[in-house]
């Protein structure tokens, strides 16, 4: 310590005693962070001298004081249960900010005074007591600083867990399930044999129809050979209903609105949560607390991927801690204080994610359904997004009536809003108490925790966002910006404050006129008690999140296609679509895209992969330049691709913002020119007889879920009985999973003449390849001279028509199964069985020609694969007597390397051309292991697409090509 204060050993700045501690816990300076980490990690305790103490002494002084005065155990086990209790805190109104509860009461007798709490705070900060996980201690803050968890907890890893004990242990869910189906001795119970079970799986999971299954079993030979214990679908349904435990049953409810009776079906939300939480398949992957994760290189750049790595969980986790802080005037070991005041421990947050989307069941009869789904943020997203993993549960079907008998349009709109919120409030009512007081939840491994389910996110399209948030159509459902400024990126404001909204909603007790005026003044519709009004720790305007399907594919891209259509014209767009070369990742619309009606999200995704090719070099009316159009489309495509990243860093979020900014900078050109539904709704409806469909749909879905649950149970039992089974270890999150090149065991054609492959260019390329491998020290002139004198004596070679790249989906139910993620087709022209000519397909690829890395374009160039072959063993032994390491080779026609290619400023694409010497395309032989990936090229069309070009000949006819990064995430992430 200097005469002026304490000196930071990293930046040499001078601080007060309190300031140095706060500085070392909050700094982002690498030198200071290194010094702080070194001081915290030091294990030697130094005695303070009489003249003063150093920073190291201060940070390691008397940890025993903290442990004694705060009654913390000397050994704290890492707890899986989370950190914060949300016992009885709930927002009530602006005048009365919090309802009364244990957190609202003053300090109990025997609790410490503010000064004693402050002493404990200093003892903690200076003592450097370490939690068992990598965390940094809580730092002191002022009242006005209490905004987010970042202001209360500075953590390099997980949020600190103080005074936590191991969760209570119960019987595992699998043990309970086995007892329920009497499966202690029979692995296939309640079915008699393995054949019984496999037939049940086939009958219930292979399609919606039930009569086909009955017809199958009605065949005497089939029934006799299978020896089943049931004879038809009805007996099987009865067996499933009676013997298999299942998810919560659907309950039928009736709602009457001005004389019209409607029905809706729902499940108990607490039971649904227990089913999700208690699934043994999820026991090892449940997330219990928020984290901050950083890029390894600097430990300063945050990574955002799962819900617990974001900011919402941190903010919500600390909401009730703020109340404790205000009462006690200190932040000393907040988790311990919450547990003391609530009387609870092992407190875990369950973020609830609700999804809804009204969908058409039929095209002509105007049948629709309104499903509401539920999932939780404690499940990783790779589980939530796969219906086969059952990470989402159908919570209910809402009424779909349009209330046409109400003639007044205003009254009808209000009635529809009240109907929606009334049904949603009925389904979510149990969460009001559970979110305040907590409920005991048992996970699949038998561990019990006190959990607090908190409504976190609502996912839906714009009409549903408006319906949920009560704002008027045309306004932003999140922020209060005026509707006329919605197109201005500078007009983005903070989300609405829910306090005045709640205050206006409570005016309903003062009469309808006062209520309507209060709601109008608050900028919302007059809806009686929306479903989120009494849910704890909820600001619905923070809960509305966009999704890729509705906001990007069915929203933005749909409009962009329409704008391009008006600018370019249908004929030119369809002409370009018909002239795009093939690629594994690109669907070719050989009839164009302008005739499509009711375009799905999948089709918009497919169109986005070549959308930029439709506007490059296009001729616009009135002599307008296409630069702004190209830049705007490129910005939209960048935004879509970046938004689909499975993980984000601060840098990728900046790139996302740059793409958004670029679109708004160039959008004036348009002014100048002017899956869950399939599994849980539509397929279910197809299984009904279209009469009284909801009762049949809920029964069908209930049986299907039971069979899926039983299938997972049997799979776990089989794995447990296999001595060689070991669970798959999940790697860290990455943008691109590892991929492996695969070739067929046998060639497509065993013997193809060299003359059929290509003319003399193939022979010359093969001769050069042989000489180069025989004499690696030869220069280009020597290779050319020696290859011209080499006699190949090669007449036929075995040929392959496809290269496949496979990867494993480690998050699927079968993580060992291989999935084709890319392929390269090399097929000559042929004739079909009717004698019609089928054009050849010779795909383009990215090839490593000079020590290229795993990503980037240095050392790479594009090539067109003309043939994939292997050398006959006799020639291999004659040419390479010392051995030849490559089994498969490729004959490639080259394009210019990327390093020599032009880079178009507007489209931000590489512009390449065939590599020619003396007017001839250059080709060579390369090992296929040098081929990294397929790549899609689209031609430079010019003002209009040439009539002579076709999809099958455009790679031969065109002279300039653009490298398409939007065909797949792999080229987007590795080439640009």
């Amino acid at each position: 310590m200097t005469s002026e204060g304490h000196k930071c050993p990293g930046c040499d700045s001078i601080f007060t005693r309190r300031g140095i501690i706060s500085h070392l816990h909050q700094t982002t300076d690498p030198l200071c962070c290194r010094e702080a980490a070194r001081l915290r990690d030091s294990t030697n305790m130094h005695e303070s001298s009489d003249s003063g103490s150093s920073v190291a002494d201060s940070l390691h002084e008397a940890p025993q004081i903290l442990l004694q005065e705060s009654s913390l155990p000397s050994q704290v086990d890492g707890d899986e249960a989370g950190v914060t209790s949300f016992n009885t805190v709930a927002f009530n109104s602006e005048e009365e900010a919090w309802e009364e509860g244990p957190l609202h009461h003053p300090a109990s007798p025997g609790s410490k005074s503010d000064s004693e709490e402050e002493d404990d705070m200093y003892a903690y900060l200076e003592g450097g007591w370490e939690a068992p996980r990598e965390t940094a201690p809580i730092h002191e803050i002022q009242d006005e600083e209490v905004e987010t968890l970042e202001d209360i907890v500075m953590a390099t890893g997980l949020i600190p867990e103080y005074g936590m004990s191991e969760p209570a242990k119960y019987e595992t869910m699998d043990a309970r399930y086995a007892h329920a189906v009497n499966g202690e001795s029979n692995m296939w119970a309640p079915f008699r044999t393995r054949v019984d079970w496999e037939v049940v799986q086939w009958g219930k999971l292979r399609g919606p129809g039930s009569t086909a299954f009955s017809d199958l079993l009605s065949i005497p030979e089939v029934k006799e050979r299978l020896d089943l214990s049931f004879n038809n679908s009805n007996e099987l349904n009865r067996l499933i209903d009676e013997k298999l435990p299942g998810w919560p049953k659907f309950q039928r409810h009736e709602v009457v609105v001005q004389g019209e009776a409607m029905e809706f079906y729902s499940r108990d939300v607490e039971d649904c949560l227990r089913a999700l939480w208690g699934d043994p398949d999820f026991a090892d992957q449940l997330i219990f607390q928020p984290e901050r994760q950083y890029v390894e290189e600097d430990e300063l750049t945050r990574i955002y991927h799962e819900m617990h790595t974001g900011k919402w969980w941190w903010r919500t986790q600390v909401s009730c801690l703020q109340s404790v802080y205000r009462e006690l005037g200190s932040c000393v070991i907040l988790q311990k204080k919450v547990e003391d005041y609530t009387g609870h421990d092992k407190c875990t947050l369950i973020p609830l994610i609700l999804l809804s989307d009204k969908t058409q069941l039929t095209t002509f009869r105007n049948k629709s359904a309104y499903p509401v789904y539920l999932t939780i943020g404690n499940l990783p997203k790779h589980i939530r997004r796969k219906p086969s993993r059952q990470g989402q549960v159908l919570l209910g079907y809402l009424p779909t009536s349009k209330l046409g008998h109400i003639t007044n349009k205003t009254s009808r709109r209000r009635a529809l809003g009240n109907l929606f919120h009334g049904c949603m409030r009925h389904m979510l009512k149990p969460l009001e108490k559970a979110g305040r007081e907590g409920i005991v939840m048992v996970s699949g491994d038998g561990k019990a925790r006190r959990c607090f389910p908190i409504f976190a996110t609502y996912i839906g399209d714009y009409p549903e966002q408006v319906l949920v948030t009560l704002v008027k159509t045309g306004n932003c459902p999140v922020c209060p910006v005026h509707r006329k400024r919605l197109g201005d990126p500078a007009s983005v404001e903070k989300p609405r404050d829910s306090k005045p909204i709640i205050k206006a909603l409570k005016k309903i007790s003062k009469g309808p006129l006062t209520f309507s005026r209060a709601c109008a003044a608050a900028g919302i519709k007059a809806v009686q008690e929306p479903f989120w009004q009494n849910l704890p720790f909820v600001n619905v305007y923070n809960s509305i999140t966009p999704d890729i399907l509705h906001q990007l594919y069915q929203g933005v891209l749909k409009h962009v296609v329409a704008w391009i259509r008006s600018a370019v014209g249908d004929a030119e767009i369809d002409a370009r679509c018909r002239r795009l070369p093939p690629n594994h990742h690109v669907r070719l619309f050989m009839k164009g895209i302008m005739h499509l009606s009711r375009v799905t999200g999948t089709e918009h995704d497919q169109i986005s992969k070549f959308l930029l090719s439709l506007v490059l070099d296009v001729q616009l009316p009135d002599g307008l330049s296409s630069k702004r159009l190209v830049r705007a489309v490129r910005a939209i495509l960048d935004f879509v691709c970046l938004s689909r990243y499975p993980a984000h860093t601060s840098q990728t979020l900046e790139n996302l913002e740059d793409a958004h900014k670029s679109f708004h900078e160039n959008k004036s050109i348009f002014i100048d020119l002017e899956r869950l539904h399939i599994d849980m709704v539509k397929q279910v409806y197809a299984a009904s007889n279209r009469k009284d469909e909801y009762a049949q749909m809920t029964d069908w879905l209930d049986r299907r879920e039971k069979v899926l649950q039983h299938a997972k149970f049997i799979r776990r039992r089989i794995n447990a009985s296999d001595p060689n089974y070991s669970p798959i270890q999940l790697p860290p999150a990455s943008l691109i999973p590892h991929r492996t090149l695969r070739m067929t065991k046998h060639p497509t054609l065993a013997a193809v003449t060299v003359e059929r492959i290509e003319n003399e260019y193939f022979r010359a390329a093969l001769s050069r390849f042989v000489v180069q491998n025989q004499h690696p020290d030869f220069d280009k002139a020597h290779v050319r001279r020696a290859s011209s004198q080499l006699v190949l004596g090669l007449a036929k070679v075995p040929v392959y028509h496809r290269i496949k790249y496979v990867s494993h989906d480690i998050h699927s139910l079968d993580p060992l199964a291989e999935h084709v993620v890319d392929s390269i087709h090399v097929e000559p022209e042929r004739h079909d069985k009717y004698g019609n000519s089928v054009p050849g397909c010779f795909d383009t690829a990215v090839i490593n020609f000079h020590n290229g890395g795993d990503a980037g374009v240095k050392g790479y160039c594009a090539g067109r694969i003309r043939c994939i072959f292997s050398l006959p063993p006799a020639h291999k032994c004659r040419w390479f007597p010392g051995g030849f390491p490559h089994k498969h080779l490729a004959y490639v026609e080259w394009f210019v390397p990327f390093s020599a290619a032009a880079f178009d400023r507007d489209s931000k694409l590489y512009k390449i051309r065939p590599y020619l010497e003396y007017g001839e395309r250059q080709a060579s032989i390369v090992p296929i292991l040098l081929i990294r990936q397929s790549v899609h090229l689209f031609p430079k069309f010019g003002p209009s697409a040439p009539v002579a070009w076709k999809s099958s000949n455009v790679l031969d006819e065109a002279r300039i090509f653009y490298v398409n990064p939007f065909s797949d995430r792999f080229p987007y992430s590795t080439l640009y």
Side-chain angles (χ1 to χ4, degrees):
M1 186 177 79
T2 66
S3 58
E4 298 177 354
H6 295 264
K7 182 178 181 180
C8 173
C11 60
D12 294 333
S13 300
I14 305 300
F15 297 91
T16 63
R17 180 171 180 264
R18 176 180 298 187
I20 183 63
I21 297 170
S22 178
H23 166 69
L24 287 177
H25 288 308
Q26 298 181 62
T27 181
T28 57
D29 187 287
L31 294 177
C32 300
C33 290
R34 186 172 65 241
E35 290 297 328
R38 181 179 65 81
L39 295 175
R40 285 198 302 268
D41 293 340
S42 175
T43 57
N44 298 322
M45 304 292 292
H46 299 285
E47 301 258 340
S48 299
S49 63
D50 294 336
S51 58
S53 61
S54 66
V55 176
D57 294 329
S58 297
L59 289 177
H60 289 279
E61 186 180 41
Q64 295 85 356
I65 298 177
L66 170 70
L67 298 179
Q68 292 170 3
E69 294 191 3
S70 61
S71 302
L72 282 174
S74 57
Q75 295 292 330
V76 182
D77 296 329
D79 178 50
E80 306 171 60
V83 298
T84 306
S85 167
F86 294 87
N87 186 36
T88 57
V89 186
F91 184 78
N92 190 17
S93 66
E94 188 175 39
E95 296 86 4
E96 183 181 352
W98 305 91
E99 292 184 3
E100 290 191 354
L103 293 179
H104 189 74
H105 294 164
S108 57
S111 61
K112 298 181 183 179
S113 64
D114 288 352
S115 60
E116 290 174 327
E117 298 286 0
E118 189 171 344
D119 290 340
D120 273 359
M121 187 62 167
Y122 281 121
Y124 173 72
L125 292 174
E126 299 186 3
W129 179 81
E130 294 185 1
R133 298 182 179 177
E134 285 190 18
T135 61
I138 302 172
H139 68 281
E140 185 179 19
I141 55 177
Q142 303 298 323
D143 277 334
E144 60 272 13
E145 293 179 312
V146 183
E147 294 294 336
T148 66
L149 193 61
E150 285 85 341
D151 294 323
I152 295 183
V153 180
M154 297 298 295
T156 58
L158 305 177
I159 185 171
E161 299 176 304
Y162 304 114
M164 303 293 285
S165 59
E166 282 295 320
K169 195 72 170 72
Y170 288 81
E171 185 181 27
T172 66
M173 292 299 178
D174 274 350
R176 295 185 182 184
Y177 192 96
H179 179 73
V181 297
N182 295 321
E184 289 81 356
S185 57
N186 177 15
M187 179 177 291
W188 313 105
F191 307 99
R192 189 177 60 188
T193 64
R194 177 183 59 82
V195 176
D196 275 23
W197 163 241
E198 290 183 351
V199 171
V200 169
Q201 277 190 296
W202 175 84
K204 288 301 177 185
L205 302 183
R206 285 296 180 183
S210 59
T211 58
F213 183 55
S214 295
D215 294 341
L216 174 69
L217 296 185
S218 67
I219 302 174
E221 291 79 5
V222 173
K223 181 67 176 66
E224 180 180 352
R225 178 168 295 184
L226 293 180
D227 188 26
L228 300 177
S229 58
F230 40 85
N231 298 310
N232 52 48
S233 294
N234 291 333
E235 291 185 12
L236 174 58
N237 291 339
R238 188 160 53 249
L239 177 62
I240 293 174
D241 292 340
E242 295 175 358
K243 298 297 184 181
L244 284 185
W247 284 31
K249 293 286 292 184
F250 286 95
Q251 302 294 326
R252 179 184 177 277
H253 312 279
E254 189 174 85
V255 183
V256 180
V257 179
Q258 295 192 16
E260 180 179 349
M262 293 158 286
E263 62 179 15
F264 84 96
Y265 288 77
S266 68
R267 286 165 158 165
D268 185 276
V269 66
E270 282 194 24
D271 290 342
C272 290
L273 285 176
R274 295 184 194 279
L276 282 174
W277 190 267
D279 193 322
D281 262 15
F282 307 152
D284 295 334
Q285 302 192 51
L286 285 174
I287 300 168
F288 303 109
Q289 58 186 14
E291 295 182 19
R292 287 180 178 172
Q293 297 184 358
Y294 298 89
V295 176
E296 292 182 359
E297 288 77 8
D298 56 11
E299 295 188 357
L300 298 176
T301 304
R302 284 187 68 173
I303 300 176
Y304 306 91
H305 54 102
E306 299 291 352
M307 191 170 185
H308 72 293
T309 63
K311 297 181 179 180
W312 177 90
W313 200 325
W314 290 73
R315 288 196 300 264
T316 307
Q317 193 96 5
V318 82
S319 292
C320 64
L321 299 186
Q322 296 180 5
S323 177
V324 174
Y325 173 76
R326 294 188 185 99
E327 292 297 328
L328 300 178
S330 173
C331 288
V332 181
I333 312 177
L334 296 178
Q335 165 62 25
K336 183 65 177 176
K337 292 302 176 185
V338 170
E339 293 176 0
D340 289 345
Y341 272 76
T342 61
H344 301 306
D345 59 3
K346 297 181 285 295
C347 304
T348 303
L349 182 68
I350 301 182
L352 304 182
I353 303 173
L354 297 175
L355 309 88
S356 69
D357 186 18
K358 192 173 183 179
T359 183
Q360 288 291 123
L361 296 175
T362 61
T363 305
F364 302 108
R365 296 177 61 199
N366 201 28
K367 286 278 187 177
S368 60
Y370 205 158
V372 178
Y373 307 100
L374 171 71
T375 185
I376 55 178
N378 309 84
L379 291 177
K381 60 188 175 187
H382 66 256
I383 291 178
R384 298 200 305 265
R385 71 187 179 195
K386 289 182 180 292
S388 62
R389 297 300 302 271
Q390 292 187 290
Q392 297 188 10
V393 57
L394 179 62
L395 191 58
Y397 289 115
L398 299 178
T400 58
S401 172
K402 297 180 180 180
L403 300 181
H405 67 290
I406 303 178
T407 56
N408 185 281
K409 292 184 179 181
T410 302
S411 299
R412 187 190 309 143
R413 285 196 297 267
R414 289 186 178 180
L416 287 171
N418 285 320
L419 175 63
F420 170 83
H421 283 276
C423 294
M424 289 290 294
R425 186 170 64 251
H426 175 84
M427 287 193 292
L428 303 179
K429 184 69 175 179
L431 299 180
E432 296 179 7
K433 181 178 179 181
R436 293 186 180 94
E437 300 180 2
I439 53 177
V440 175
M441 304 277 281
V442 181
S443 53
D445 53 6
K447 295 181 180 179
R449 297 172 174 85
R450 179 168 294 277
C451 299
F452 293 79
I454 305 296
F455 169 50
T457 298
Y458 199 100
I459 300 175
D461 56 15
Y462 177 74
E464 286 172 291
Q465 293 176 0
V466 169
L467 183 62
V468 168
T469 57
L470 309 184
V471 302
K472 296 181 179 180
T473 303
N475 290 335
C476 175
V478 176
C479 68
V481 65
H482 194 276
R483 66 175 63 189
K484 292 183 179 180
R485 298 176 57 210
L486 288 179
D488 182 6
S491 66
V492 177
E493 300 181 11
K494 292 183 178 180
R496 288 181 174 86
D497 185 2
S498 62
K499 295 179 181 179
I501 305 294
I502 299 292
K503 182 179 179 180
L505 292 171
K506 289 184 177 295
K507 298 290 186 180
I508 192 171
S509 59
K510 298 184 178 180
L513 182 59
T514 303
F515 176 60
S516 298
R517 290 176 177 175
C519 291
I524 61 172
K525 299 174 184 176
V527 172
Q528 302 175 18
E529 197 174 355
F531 73 86
W532 42 262
Q533 180 175 346
N534 296 319
L535 295 178
F537 309 108
V538 171
N539 181 353
V540 71
Y541 305 104
N542 283 323
S543 302
I544 298 299
T545 59
D547 68 286
I548 292 176
L549 172 63
H550 294 107
Q551 268 67 34
L552 293 184
Y553 286 141
Q554 297 294 68
V556 174
L557 273 176
K558 180 179 179 180
H559 288 294
V560 169
V561 171
W563 295 334
I564 294 175
R565 181 178 184 178
S566 63
V568 179
D570 293 3
E572 181 63 23
I573 289 177
D574 286 345
R576 294 189 174 209
C577 289
R578 292 192 295 269
R579 289 162 175 78
L580 293 174
N583 180 266
H584 173 78
H585 301 287
V586 178
R587 174 186 172 185
L588 297 181
F589 292 82
M590 300 308 295
K591 295 183 179 180
I593 61 175
M594 292 298 98
H595 70 284
L596 299 175
S597 61
R598 299 178 66 89
V599 183
T600 65
T602 300
E603 288 172 325
H604 274 130
D605 178 32
Q606 294 162 345
I607 292 171
S608 71
K609 295 181 178 183
F610 58 81
L611 186 62
L612 195 56
S613 69
L614 305 181
V615 299
L616 279 173
D617 309 305
V618 75
Q619 184 174 358
L620 297 180
D622 301 327
L624 286 174
S625 170
S626 64
K627 286 186 177 181
R628 285 183 296 157
L629 179 62
V630 171
R631 291 172 183 171
V633 174
R634 170 70 201 224
I636 285 295
L637 296 177
D638 278 333
F639 192 93
V640 171
C641 287
L642 288 167
S643 66
R644 295 186 63 182
Y645 274 18
H648 276 285
T649 66
S650 305
Q651 181 59 51
T652 59
L653 291 177
E654 288 182 10
N655 295 341
L656 198 68
E657 184 60 35
D658 289 342
H660 180 256
K661 180 180 178 182
S662 177
F663 170 74
H664 283 285
E665 289 175 348
N666 295 280
K667 67 181 181 182
S668 58
I669 184 65
F670 298 116
I671 301 175
D672 296 340
L673 298 168
E674 239 335 291
R675 182 151 181 135
L676 283 170
H677 288 326
I678 296 176
D679 286 338
M680 295 188 178
V681 181
K682 295 184 179 180
Q683 193 180 49
V684 187
Y685 178 76
S688 71
N689 62 6
R690 280 68 169 174
K691 297 177 181 178
D692 192 22
E693 60 271 7
Y694 280 108
Q696 298 179 57
M697 289 166 67
T698 53
D699 286 342
W700 188 93
L701 184 62
D702 185 58
R703 293 180 187 123
R704 180 183 174 87
E705 288 173 344
K706 286 182 177 182
V707 172
L708 284 171
Q709 285 288 96
H710 197 67
K712 295 196 294 185
F713 168 69
I714 287 181
R715 175 179 51 80
R716 290 192 297 269
R717 294 191 73 175
I718 294 174
N719 291 339
S721 62
D722 184 359
N724 298 320
Y725 171 77
S726 60
I728 300 296
Q729 297 297 319
L730 299 181
S734 61
L735 293 178
I736 304 296
H738 176 72
R739 48 175 57 188
T740 305
L741 187 149
R742 285 279 188 273
M743 295 294 296
T744 57
K745 187 175 182 179
H746 303 288
T748 309
L749 300 174
V752 177
T753 60
V754 173
E755 286 74 14
R756 184 180 172 188
I757 296 175
E758 189 67 22
N759 51 24
E760 65 272 11
Y761 296 122
F762 176 76
R763 291 183 181 274
L766 184 56
S767 298
R768 290 195 303 271
F769 179 78
V770 172
V771 171
Q772 285 173 332
N773 281 271
Q774 289 176 339
H775 306 282
D777 56 331
F778 275 19
D779 60 16
K780 187 176 182 180
H782 282 83
V783 169
R784 183 181 295 113
R785 195 160 44 245
S787 62
S788 64
Q789 301 172 0
L790 179 67
V791 179
L792 289 175
L794 183 66
K796 297 180 179 180
V797 293
V799 169
Y800 302 79
H801 283 177
R802 189 180 180 190
I803 299 176
K804 293 193 299 184
Y805 295 89
V806 300
S807 182
H808 297 278
D809 186 355
I810 58 176
H811 303 307
S812 67
L813 289 174
D814 185 7
L816 298 180
E818 290 184 342
H819 302 273
V820 177
V821 294
D822 193 7
S823 67
I824 298 173
H825 295 263
V826 184
E827 301 179 33
E829 183 181 2
R830 58 185 177 85
H831 291 83
D832 60 19
K833 63 181 180 179
Y834 303 106
N836 299 320
S837 176
V838 179
C841 178
F842 302 96
D843 286 351
T844 50
V846 173
I847 303 169
N848 186 349
F849 74 97
H850 186 64
N851 301 323
D854 294 334
V857 296
K858 185 178 181 182
Y860 286 91
C861 68
R864 192 178 185 192
I865 314 300
R866 282 292 187 176
C867 182
I868 304 168
F869 66 99
S870 59
L871 296 176
H875 291 78
K876 197 182 297 185
C877 294
R878 178 160 62 90
W879 293 335
F880 312 106
F884 186 67
H886 304 293
K887 184 177 180 181
H888 301 94
L889 303 173
Y891 174 50
V892 179
E893 289 181 347
W894 296 104
F895 294 85
V896 295
F898 288 112
S899 57
F903 193 78
D904 187 75
R905 288 186 177 182
D906 298 320
S907 64
K908 301 179 183 178
L909 299 181
Y910 289 106
K911 189 162 55 175
I912 63 175
R913 53 183 173 78
Y915 186 30
L916 305 176
E917 284 190 7
Y918 306 107
E920 296 180 348
R921 292 198 176 194
Q922 297 301 296
S924 59
I925 307 293
V926 299
I928 65 169
L929 293 177
L930 295 180
I931 302 175
R932 186 172 78 183
Q933 66 193 78
S934 72
V935 66
H936 187 235
L937 307 179
F938 50 76
K940 180 180 173 64
F941 286 104
S944 61
V947 177
W949 289 3
K950 300 178 181 178
S951 176
S952 58
N953 68 8
V954 67
L955 289 174
D956 297 311
E957 298 294 332
R959 289 294 174 262
I960 298 177
F961 298 87
Y962 294 95
V963 180
N964 183 8
F966 300 108
S967 61
D968 185 57
R969 186 187 297 159
F970 191 85
Y972 187 82
S973 304
T974 56
L975 291 180
Y976 287 87

